[in-house]
Amino acid sequence: GQNIDQPTEMTATEGAIVQINCTYQTSGFNGLFWYQQHAGEAPTFLSYNVLDGLEEKGRFSSFLSRSKGYSYLLLKELQMKDSASYLCAVMDSNYQLIWGAGTKLIIKP
Amino acid sequence: EADIYQTPRYLVIGTGKKITLECSQTMGHDKMYWYQQDPGMELHLIHYSYGVNSTEKGDLSSESTVSRIRTEHFPLTLESARPSHTSQYLCASSESGRETGELFFGEGSRLTVL
């Protein structure tokens, strides 16, 4: 079967750095996506990785290792507004997105 | 900014009722999707469409139907609602191209079936 694993919940301090991990086992791979979802709201796209390595976009960076089936989302200079769930999704060989259950990130002052 | 709209935002209905959740987008996207999401759980694909007159079932499509008569409109219908249908329903769209995984989501329709 196909599955995406990510921690259920993480806590970090305002101003700090946090890394959210995602491991996946899918039938084929056509890219990995990270989405942010604030409570009660719809998910919004954050990043896309299809090749190994690090993609940086402002305070957020996403890393991919296809050989290890592993990705992480790195959030720097954490702000209170970063409190949200972060969803990892992989596009499989049929170009369908397989979603993880999300990691709820709690930011403390 | 995404332009995709869902109505109703909240709905409480009794068992056995027929309901239609509306979804419209003004971005001209060919691909549209319906997802179901329970708190703390992953998104489950219910139905999707690659264009007008194209509809496909996802992994959670039983007891619901969709139609795609116009590019911008992708309604979801439950013929006979049950308490197990209580959930958040998210509509999304994306541009054409098989590799496109950047989805634009509507704000969701939260359904409660009593």
Coordinates of all heavy atoms in Angstrom, one line a residue, chain B residues 45-108:
Chain B
L45 N -9.5 11.6 -1.4 CA -10.1 12.0 -2.7 C -11.4 11.3 -3.0 O -11.5 10.1 -3.0 CB -9.1 11.7 -3.8 CG -9.4 12.1 -5.2 CD1 -9.5 13.7 -5.3 CD2 -8.4 11.6 -6.3
I46 N -12.4 12.1 -3.2 CA -13.8 11.5 -3.5 C -14.0 11.4 -5.0 O -14.4 10.3 -5.5 CB -14.9 12.4 -2.9 CG1 -14.6 12.7 -1.4 CG2 -16.2 11.7 -2.9 CD1 -15.5 13.7 -0.8
H47 N -13.9 12.5 -5.7 CA -14.0 12.5 -7.1 C -13.1 13.5 -7.7 O -12.6 14.5 -7.0 CB -15.5 12.9 -7.5 CG -16.5 12.0 -7.1 ND1 -16.9 10.9 -7.9 CD2 -17.4 12.0 -6.1 CE1 -17.9 10.2 -7.3 NE2 -18.2 10.9 -6.2
Y48 N -12.8 13.4 -9.0 CA -12.0 14.4 -9.7 C -12.4 14.5 -11.2 O -13.1 13.6 -11.7 CB -10.5 14.1 -9.6 CG -10.0 12.8 -10.1 CD1 -9.4 12.7 -11.3 CD2 -10.1 11.6 -9.3 CE1 -8.9 11.5 -11.8 CE2 -9.6 10.4 -9.8 CZ -9.0 10.4 -11.0 OH -8.5 9.2 -11.5
S49 N -12.0 15.5 -11.8 CA -12.4 15.8 -13.2 C -11.2 16.5 -13.9 O -10.6 17.3 -13.4 CB -13.6 16.7 -13.3 OG -13.8 17.2 -14.6
Y50 N -11.0 16.0 -15.1 CA -9.9 16.6 -15.9 C -10.4 17.6 -17.0 O -9.6 18.1 -17.8 CB -9.0 15.5 -16.6 CG -8.1 14.8 -15.6 CD1 -7.7 13.5 -16.0 CD2 -7.8 15.3 -14.4 CE1 -6.8 12.8 -15.1 CE2 -6.9 14.6 -13.6 CZ -6.5 13.4 -13.9 OH -5.6 12.7 -13.0
G51 N -11.7 17.8 -17.0 CA -12.3 18.7 -17.9 C -13.8 18.5 -18.1 O -14.4 17.6 -17.4
V52 N -14.4 19.3 -18.9 CA -15.9 19.2 -19.2 C -16.2 17.7 -19.6 O -15.5 17.1 -20.4 CB -16.3 20.2 -20.2 CG1 -17.7 19.9 -20.6 CG2 -16.1 21.6 -19.7
N53 N -17.3 17.2 -19.0 CA -17.8 15.9 -19.3 C -16.8 14.7 -18.9 O -17.0 13.6 -19.3 CB -18.1 15.7 -20.8 CG -19.3 16.6 -21.2 OD1 -20.2 16.8 -20.4 ND2 -19.3 17.1 -22.4
S54 N -15.8 15.1 -18.1 CA -14.9 14.1 -17.5 C -15.1 14.0 -16.0 O -14.9 15.0 -15.4 CB -13.5 14.5 -17.9 OG -12.5 14.0 -16.9
T55 N -15.4 12.8 -15.5 CA -15.4 12.6 -14.1 C -14.9 11.3 -13.7 O -15.1 10.3 -14.5 CB -16.9 12.8 -13.5 OG1 -17.7 11.8 -14.1 CG2 -17.5 14.1 -13.7
E56 N -14.1 11.2 -12.6 CA -13.5 10.0 -12.2 C -13.8 9.8 -10.7 O -13.9 10.8 -10.0 CB -12.0 10.0 -12.4 CG -11.6 10.2 -13.9 CD -11.9 9.0 -14.8 OE1 -12.1 7.9 -14.2 OE2 -11.9 9.1 -16.0
K57 N -13.8 8.5 -10.2 CA -14.0 8.3 -8.8 C -12.7 8.2 -8.1 O -11.7 7.7 -8.7 CB -14.7 6.9 -8.6 CG -16.2 7.0 -9.1 CD -16.9 5.7 -8.8 CE -18.4 5.8 -9.2 NZ -19.1 4.6 -8.9
G58 N -12.6 8.7 -6.9 CA -11.4 8.6 -6.1 C -11.5 7.4 -5.2 O -12.3 6.4 -5.5
D59 N -10.8 7.4 -4.1 CA -10.8 6.2 -3.2 C -11.9 6.2 -2.2 O -12.0 5.3 -1.4 CB -9.4 6.1 -2.5 CG -9.1 7.3 -1.7 OD1 -9.9 8.2 -1.7 OD2 -8.0 7.4 -1.2
L60 N -12.8 7.2 -2.3 CA -13.8 7.4 -1.3 C -15.1 7.9 -1.9 O -15.8 8.7 -1.4 CB -13.4 8.3 -0.2 CG -14.1 8.2 1.2 CD1 -13.7 6.9 1.9 CD2 -13.7 9.4 2.1
S61 N -15.4 7.3 -3.1 CA -16.5 7.9 -3.9 C -17.9 7.3 -3.7 O -18.8 7.9 -4.3 CB -16.1 7.8 -5.4 OG -16.0 6.4 -5.7
S62 N -18.0 6.3 -2.9 CA -19.3 5.6 -2.8 C -20.4 6.6 -2.3 O -20.1 7.4 -1.4 CB -19.2 4.4 -1.9 OG -18.9 4.8 -0.6
E63 N -21.6 6.5 -2.7 CA -22.7 7.2 -2.2 C -22.8 8.7 -2.7 O -23.6 9.4 -2.2 CB -22.8 7.1 -0.7 CG -22.9 5.6 -0.2 CD -22.5 5.5 1.2 OE1 -22.3 6.5 1.9 OE2 -22.4 4.4 1.7
S64 N -21.9 9.1 -3.5 CA -21.9 10.5 -4.0 C -21.6 10.5 -5.5 O -21.1 9.6 -6.1 CB -20.8 11.3 -3.3 OG -19.5 10.9 -3.6
T65 N -22.1 11.6 -6.1 CA -21.9 11.7 -7.6 C -21.5 13.2 -7.8 O -21.7 14.1 -7.0 CB -23.2 11.4 -8.4 OG1 -24.3 12.3 -7.9 CG2 -23.6 10.0 -8.2
V66 N -20.9 13.4 -9.0 CA -20.5 14.7 -9.4 C -20.8 14.9 -10.9 O -21.1 13.9 -11.6 CB -18.9 14.9 -9.3 CG1 -18.5 15.0 -7.8 CG2 -18.1 13.8 -10.0
S67 N -20.8 16.1 -11.3 CA -21.0 16.4 -12.8 C -20.1 17.5 -13.1 O -19.7 18.3 -12.3 CB -22.4 16.8 -13.0 OG -22.8 18.0 -12.3
R68 N -19.7 17.6 -14.4 CA -18.8 18.7 -14.9 C -19.4 19.1 -16.3 O -18.8 18.7 -17.3 CB -17.4 18.2 -15.0 CG -16.4 19.3 -15.3 CD -15.9 20.0 -14.0 NE -15.1 21.1 -14.3 CZ -13.7 21.0 -14.5 NH1 -13.2 19.8 -14.5 NH2 -13.0 22.1 -14.7
I69 N -20.4 19.9 -16.2 CA -21.0 20.4 -17.5 C -20.4 21.6 -18.0 O -20.3 21.9 -19.2 CB -22.6 20.6 -17.2 CG1 -23.2 19.3 -16.8 CG2 -23.2 21.2 -18.5 CD1 -24.7 19.5 -16.4
R70 N -19.8 22.4 -17.0 CA -19.1 23.6 -17.4 C -17.7 23.6 -16.7 O -17.6 23.0 -15.6 CB -19.9 24.9 -16.9 CG -21.3 25.0 -17.4 CD -21.8 26.4 -17.3 NE -21.6 27.0 -16.0 CZ -22.4 26.9 -14.9 NH1 -23.6 26.3 -15.1 NH2 -22.2 27.5 -13.8
T71 N -16.8 24.2 -17.3 CA -15.4 24.2 -16.8 C -15.4 24.7 -15.4 O -14.6 24.2 -14.5 CB -14.5 25.1 -17.7 OG1 -14.4 24.5 -19.0 CG2 -13.1 25.1 -17.1
E72 N -16.1 25.8 -15.1 CA -16.0 26.5 -13.8 C -16.8 25.8 -12.7 O -16.6 26.2 -11.5 CB -16.4 27.9 -13.9 CG -17.8 28.1 -14.4 CD -18.0 28.2 -15.9 OE1 -17.1 27.7 -16.6 OE2 -19.0 28.7 -16.3
H73 N -17.6 24.8 -12.9 CA -18.6 24.4 -12.0 C -18.4 22.8 -11.7 O -18.4 22.1 -12.7 CB -20.0 24.7 -12.4 CG -21.0 24.6 -11.4 ND1 -22.3 24.1 -11.7 CD2 -21.0 24.8 -10.1 CE1 -23.0 24.1 -10.6 NE2 -22.3 24.5 -9.6
F74 N -18.4 22.4 -10.5 CA -18.1 21.0 -10.2 C -18.9 20.6 -8.9 O -18.3 20.5 -7.8 CB -16.6 20.8 -10.0 CG -16.2 19.3 -9.9 CD1 -16.7 18.4 -10.8 CD2 -15.2 18.9 -9.0 CE1 -16.3 17.0 -10.8 CE2 -14.8 17.6 -9.0 CZ -15.3 16.6 -9.8
P75 N -20.2 20.4 -9.0 CA -21.0 20.1 -7.8 C -20.9 18.7 -7.4 O -20.8 17.8 -8.2 CB -22.4 20.5 -8.3 CG -22.4 20.3 -9.8 CD -21.0 20.6 -10.2
L76 N -21.1 18.5 -6.1 CA -21.0 17.1 -5.5 C -22.4 16.9 -4.8 O -22.9 17.7 -4.1 CB -20.0 17.1 -4.4 CG -19.9 15.8 -3.5 CD1 -19.3 14.7 -4.3 CD2 -19.1 16.0 -2.3
T77 N -23.0 15.7 -5.2 CA -24.3 15.4 -4.7 C -24.3 14.1 -3.8 O -23.7 13.1 -4.3 CB -25.3 15.2 -5.8 OG1 -25.4 16.4 -6.5 CG2 -26.7 14.8 -5.3
L78 N -24.9 14.2 -2.7 CA -25.2 13.0 -1.8 C -26.7 12.7 -1.9 O -27.5 13.5 -1.6 CB -24.8 13.3 -0.4 CG -23.3 13.4 0.0 CD1 -23.2 13.8 1.4 CD2 -22.7 12.0 -0.2
E79 N -27.0 11.5 -2.5 CA -28.4 11.2 -2.7 C -29.2 11.0 -1.5 O -30.4 11.3 -1.4 CB -28.5 10.0 -3.6 CG -28.0 10.2 -5.0 CD -28.9 11.1 -5.8 OE1 -30.1 11.2 -5.5 OE2 -28.3 11.8 -6.8
S80 N -28.5 10.4 -0.5 CA -29.2 10.1 0.8 C -28.2 10.2 1.9 O -27.4 9.3 2.2 CB -29.8 8.7 0.8 OG -30.5 8.4 2.0
A81 N -28.2 11.4 2.6 CA -27.2 11.6 3.6 C -27.4 10.7 4.8 O -28.5 10.4 5.2 CB -27.3 13.1 4.0
R82 N -26.2 10.3 5.4 CA -26.2 9.5 6.6 C -25.2 10.2 7.6 O -24.3 10.9 7.2 CB -25.7 8.1 6.3 CG -26.6 7.3 5.4 CD -26.4 5.8 5.7 NE -25.1 5.4 5.5 CZ -24.6 4.9 4.3 NH1 -25.4 4.8 3.3 NH2 -23.4 4.5 4.2
P83 N -25.4 9.9 8.9 CA -24.4 10.4 9.9 C -23.0 10.2 9.6 O -22.1 11.0 9.9 CB -24.9 9.7 11.2 CG -26.3 9.5 11.0 CD -26.5 9.1 9.5
S84 N -22.7 9.1 8.9 CA -21.3 8.8 8.5 C -20.7 9.8 7.5 O -19.5 9.9 7.3 CB -21.1 7.4 8.0 OG -21.9 7.2 6.8
H85 N -21.6 10.6 6.9 CA -21.2 11.6 5.9 C -20.8 12.9 6.6 O -20.3 13.8 5.9 CB -22.3 11.9 4.9 CG -22.6 10.7 4.0 ND1 -23.9 10.4 3.7 CD2 -21.8 9.9 3.3 CE1 -23.8 9.3 2.9 NE2 -22.6 9.0 2.7
T86 N -21.0 13.0 7.9 CA -20.6 14.2 8.6 C -19.1 14.4 8.5 O -18.3 13.5 8.9 CB -20.9 14.0 10.1 OG1 -22.4 14.0 10.2 CG2 -20.4 15.2 10.9
S87 N -18.7 15.5 7.9 CA -17.2 15.8 7.6 C -17.1 17.1 7.0 O -18.0 17.9 6.8 CB -16.7 14.7 6.7 OG -15.3 14.8 6.5
Q88 N -15.8 17.5 6.7 CA -15.5 18.7 6.0 C -15.2 18.3 4.5 O -14.5 17.3 4.3 CB -14.2 19.3 6.6 CG -13.6 20.4 5.7 CD -13.9 21.8 6.1 OE1 -15.1 22.1 6.3 NE2 -12.9 22.7 6.1
Y89 N -15.8 19.0 3.6 CA -15.7 18.7 2.2 C -14.9 19.8 1.5 O -15.4 21.0 1.6 CB -17.0 18.4 1.5 CG -17.7 17.1 2.0 CD1 -18.4 17.1 3.2 CD2 -17.5 15.9 1.3 CE1 -19.0 16.0 3.6 CE2 -18.0 14.7 1.8 CZ -18.8 14.8 3.0 OH -19.3 13.6 3.4
L90 N -13.8 19.5 0.9 CA -13.0 20.5 0.3 C -12.9 20.4 -1.3 O -12.7 19.3 -1.7 CB -11.5 20.5 0.8 CG -11.3 20.8 2.2 CD1 -9.9 20.4 2.7 CD2 -11.5 22.3 2.4
C91 N -13.2 21.4 -2.0 CA -13.1 21.4 -3.4 C -11.8 22.1 -3.8 O -11.3 23.0 -3.1 CB -14.3 22.2 -4.0 SG -14.3 22.3 -5.8
A92 N -11.2 21.6 -4.9 CA -9.9 22.2 -5.3 C -9.8 22.2 -6.8 O -10.5 21.4 -7.5 CB -8.7 21.4 -4.7
S93 N -8.9 23.0 -7.3 CA -8.7 23.0 -8.8 C -7.2 23.2 -9.0 O -6.4 23.6 -8.1 CB -9.5 24.1 -9.5 OG -8.9 25.4 -9.1
S94 N -6.7 22.8 -10.2 CA -5.3 23.0 -10.6 C -5.3 23.1 -12.1 O -6.2 22.8 -12.8 CB -4.5 21.8 -10.2 OG -4.8 20.6 -10.9
E95 N -4.1 23.6 -12.5 CA -3.9 23.8 -14.0 C -3.7 22.5 -14.6 O -3.4 21.5 -14.0 CB -2.7 24.7 -14.2 CG -2.9 26.1 -13.7 CD -1.6 27.0 -13.9 OE1 -0.6 26.5 -14.4 OE2 -1.7 28.2 -13.5
S96 N -3.8 22.5 -16.0 CA -3.5 21.3 -16.7 C -2.1 20.9 -16.7 O -1.2 21.7 -16.3 CB -4.0 21.5 -18.2 OG -5.3 21.7 -18.3
G97 N -1.8 19.7 -17.0 CA -0.4 19.2 -17.0 C -0.3 18.2 -15.9 O -0.7 18.4 -14.8
R98 N 0.1 17.0 -16.2 CA 0.0 15.8 -15.3 C 0.8 16.0 -14.1 O 0.5 15.5 -13.0 CB 0.4 14.6 -16.0 CG -0.5 14.1 -17.1 CD -0.2 12.7 -17.6 NE 1.1 12.6 -18.1 CZ 1.7 11.4 -18.4 NH1 0.9 10.3 -18.3 NH2 2.9 11.3 -18.8
E99 N 1.9 16.8 -14.2 CA 2.8 17.0 -13.0 C 2.4 18.0 -12.0 O 3.0 18.2 -11.0 CB 4.2 17.3 -13.5 CG 4.4 18.7 -14.0 CD 3.8 18.9 -15.4 OE1 3.3 17.9 -16.0 OE2 3.9 20.0 -16.0
T100 N 1.3 18.7 -12.4 CA 0.9 19.8 -11.5 C 0.3 19.3 -10.2 O -0.8 18.7 -10.2 CB -0.1 20.7 -12.3 OG1 0.5 21.2 -13.4 CG2 -0.6 21.9 -11.4
G101 N 0.9 19.6 -9.1 CA 0.3 19.3 -7.8 C 0.0 20.5 -7.0 O -0.4 20.3 -5.8
E102 N 0.1 21.7 -7.6 CA -0.3 22.8 -6.8 C -1.8 23.0 -6.9 O -2.3 23.4 -8.0 CB 0.4 24.1 -7.3 CG 0.0 25.3 -6.5 CD 0.8 26.6 -6.9 OE1 1.7 26.5 -7.8 OE2 0.4 27.7 -6.4
L103 N -2.5 22.7 -5.9 CA -3.9 22.8 -5.8 C -4.4 24.1 -5.1 O -3.7 24.5 -4.2 CB -4.5 21.6 -5.1 CG -4.8 20.3 -5.9 CD1 -3.6 19.8 -6.6 CD2 -5.4 19.3 -4.9
F104 N -5.4 24.6 -5.7 CA -6.1 25.8 -5.0 C -7.4 25.3 -4.4 O -8.2 24.7 -5.1 CB -6.3 26.9 -6.1 CG -5.1 27.4 -6.7 CD1 -4.5 26.9 -7.8 CD2 -4.5 28.5 -6.1 CE1 -3.4 27.4 -8.3 CE2 -3.3 29.1 -6.6 CZ -2.7 28.5 -7.8
F105 N -7.5 25.5 -3.1 CA -8.7 25.0 -2.4 C -9.7 26.0 -2.1 O -9.4 27.2 -1.9 CB -8.2 24.4 -1.0 CG -7.5 23.0 -1.2 CD1 -6.2 23.0 -1.4 CD2 -8.2 21.9 -1.0 CE1 -5.5 21.8 -1.5 CE2 -7.6 20.6 -1.1 CZ -6.2 20.6 -1.3
G106 N -11.0 25.6 -2.1 CA -12.0 26.4 -1.6 C -12.0 26.4 -0.1 O -11.2 25.7 0.5
E107 N -12.8 27.2 0.6 CA -12.8 27.3 2.0 C -13.5 26.1 2.7 O -13.5 26.0 3.9 CB -13.5 28.6 2.5 CG -12.6 29.8 2.1 CD -13.2 31.1 2.6 OE1 -14.4 31.3 2.7 OE2 -12.4 32.0 3.0
G108 N -14.1 25.3 2.0 CA -14.7 24.1 2.5 C -16.2 24.2 2.9 O -16.7 25.3 3.1

